[in-house]
């Protein structure tokens, strides 16, 4: 029942992922959530995020940010890190995951997704056929509607067994 929400991987931080490994395996595009995946909720792009995206470009990746936030939140962040973006993505809808792959000239076999929420980020990526990576949220302080979803996520993650 919960399998549709399971990520392919569950990691402590986006900043600890070995992206070179994925590039060597043929991955060419990465779709990211922003809030609590790359920076704490609502924060602007910081030096760590800017350097991170520069390194991804050096490896050879295309990137696209998809967020349920408005353009006023997403565009300045994307401009600062140098990434394509889709705002008001209505995750977990497949539409903007597919749009991100189209923009990066990739497909489900050459794209991965990284985000911090099961019921929006991971489920949308899974529905799109993408390889999904769930990160732990950067900051535990979140809006009330997200706090409530985190309780449900804990139940799902209790049954999650990573594939070897």
């Amino acid at each position: 029942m919960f399998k549709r929400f399971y990520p392919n991987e569950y990691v402590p931080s986006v900043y600890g992922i070995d992206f070179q490994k994925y590039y060597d395996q043929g991955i060419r595009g990465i779709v990211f959530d922003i809030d609590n995946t790359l920076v704490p909720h609502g924060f602007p792009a910081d030096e760590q995020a800017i350097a991170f995206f520069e390194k991804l470009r050096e490896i050879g990746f295309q990137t696209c940010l998809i967020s349920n936030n408005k353009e006023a939140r997403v565009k300045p962040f994307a401009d600062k890190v140098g990434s394509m973006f889709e705002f008001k993505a209505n995750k977990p809808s497949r539409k903007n995951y597919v749009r991100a792959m189209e923009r990066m000239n990739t497909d489900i076999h050459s794209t991965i997704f990284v985000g911090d929420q099961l019921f929006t980020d991971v489920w949308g990526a899974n529905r799109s056929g993408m390889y999904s990576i769930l990160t732990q949220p950067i900051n535990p302080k979140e809006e009330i509607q997200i706090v409530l979803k985190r309780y449900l996520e804990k139940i799902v993650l209790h049954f999650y067994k990573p594939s070897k």
Side-chain angles (χ1 to χ4, degrees), residues 3-138:
K3 288 184 179 172
R4 74 182 80 187
F5 302 112
Y6 291 169
N8 294 102
E9 288 183 55
Y10 184 26
V11 300
S13 170
V14 67
Y15 297 109
I17 297 171
D18 180 0
F19 286 100
Q20 182 65 55
K21 171 185 83 170
Y22 290 107
Y23 191 85
D24 294 345
Q25 294 172 354
I27 300 300
R28 296 298 180 263
I30 310 169
V31 179
F32 290 99
D33 173 55
I34 299 171
D35 288 317
N36 252 346
T37 299
L38 297 165
V39 293
H41 188 83
F43 279 48
D46 58 18
E47 293 305 315
Q48 182 180 27
I50 294 166
F52 175 68
F53 276 81
E54 180 60 34
K55 181 161 176 43
L56 293 174
R57 279 190 294 278
E58 287 172 9
I59 292 171
F61 286 111
Q62 294 287 319
T63 61
C64 189
L65 306 170
I66 65 171
S67 175
N68 287 345
N69 270 303
K70 296 177 182 172
E71 185 176 18
R73 162 69 177 133
V74 182
K75 185 179 183 334
F77 191 98
D79 288 347
K80 211 158 186 197
V81 299
S83 181
M84 293 176 258
F85 67 94
E86 295 292 328
F87 63 96
K88 291 179 91 174
N90 296 314
K91 296 180 283 182
S93 170
R94 294 177 62 248
K95 180 182 176 185
N96 285 298
Y97 290 84
V98 172
R99 176 80 179 118
M101 288 185 282
E102 289 170 353
R103 293 188 70 195
M104 294 186 300
N105 251 347
T106 61
D107 60 28
I108 60 169
H109 305 291
S110 60
T111 309
I112 60 175
F113 175 84
V114 184
D116 72 297
Q117 291 189 50
L118 283 180
F119 302 125
T120 51
D121 298 333
V122 170
W123 189 25
N126 291 349
R127 292 178 71 217
S128 303
M130 299 169 83
Y131 188 90
S132 60
I133 301 174
L134 176 68
T135 65
Q136 292 178 359
I138 289 175

